Amino acid sequence: MNNVASILILIFLAITFLQSGYDKLFYWKDNLDWLKGHFSKTPLKNHVPLALAHVLIMELLSTILCCLGAIELLLNSGRMFGYYGAVFSCITLLMLLVGQRLAKDYDGARTIVIYFIPAVMAVYWLN
């Protein structure tokens, strides 16, 4: 089992994005209402529904790829799905970071960095 750390990070990312995607999908209106206020003074103010849809799609893709990547690593030590899962996770987190910085929510941006570090580690390990 040489891939334990990579598998654990992929599971961590899958859980993170699965929960976040679930929340956006099943509580769309609540999320949209909150985000409209959050971005009301930013260039995104008229694009919140589209931005939320893009983030949801990226979170779901990240979840699927990370799950497939963990399974692939377990079954045959393959790294392709895990690598792309980690890359998509990083891109998703960067999208979220841009939003938080635009909204001047520096605590929120700082929190995203906590998730970004293991995602980048996964990209490095799975490359």
Side-chain angles (χ1 to χ4, degrees), residues 58-79:
M58 290 297 291
E59 287 179 340
L60 294 176
L61 285 171
S62 297
T63 299
I64 292 166
L65 289 168
C66 286
C67 286
L68 291 173
I71 293 166
E72 182 184 35
L73 276 169
L74 276 170
L75 295 179
N76 63 16
S77 295
R79 297 174 175 266

Side-chain angles (χ1 to χ4, degrees), residues 9-90:
I9 290 179
L10 289 171
I11 292 170
F12 168 79
L13 292 170
I15 291 168
T16 299
F17 290 120
L18 177 64
Q19 186 281 323
S20 186
Y22 173 88
D23 187 60
K24 286 175 182 64
L25 195 60
F26 291 99
Y27 301 97
W28 179 267
K29 186 181 177 328
D30 295 338
N31 278 282
L32 193 57
D33 291 343
W34 185 84
L35 288 168
K36 283 182 179 178
H38 191 64
F39 291 110
S40 64
K41 297 177 183 171
T42 73
L44 292 176
K45 66 182 172 193
N46 296 323
H47 307 286
V48 173
L50 184 60
L52 184 58
H54 281 134
V55 169
L56 173 60
I57 291 166
M58 290 297 291
E59 287 179 340
L60 294 176
L61 285 171
S62 297
T63 299
I64 292 166
L65 289 168
C66 286
C67 286
L68 291 173
I71 293 166
E72 182 184 35
L73 276 169
L74 276 170
L75 295 179
N76 63 16
S77 295
R79 297 174 175 266
M80 184 184 72
F81 285 110
Y83 173 75
Y84 286 112
V87 168
F88 270 72
S89 295
C90 286

Side-chain angles (χ1 to χ4, degrees), residues 12-13 16-17 90 93 110-120:
F12 168 79
L13 292 170
T16 299
F17 290 120
C90 286
L93 290 164
R110 190 172 20 255
T111 301
I112 291 168
V113 173
I114 294 167
Y115 293 94
F116 189 69
I117 292 168
V120 170

Side-chain angles (χ1 to χ4, degrees), residues 17 55 59 91-101 112:
F17 290 120
V55 169
E59 287 179 340
I91 293 167
T92 303
L93 290 164
L94 289 171
M95 290 169 60
L96 294 169
L97 180 69
V98 168
Q100 296 295 60
R101 297 293 298 190
I112 291 168

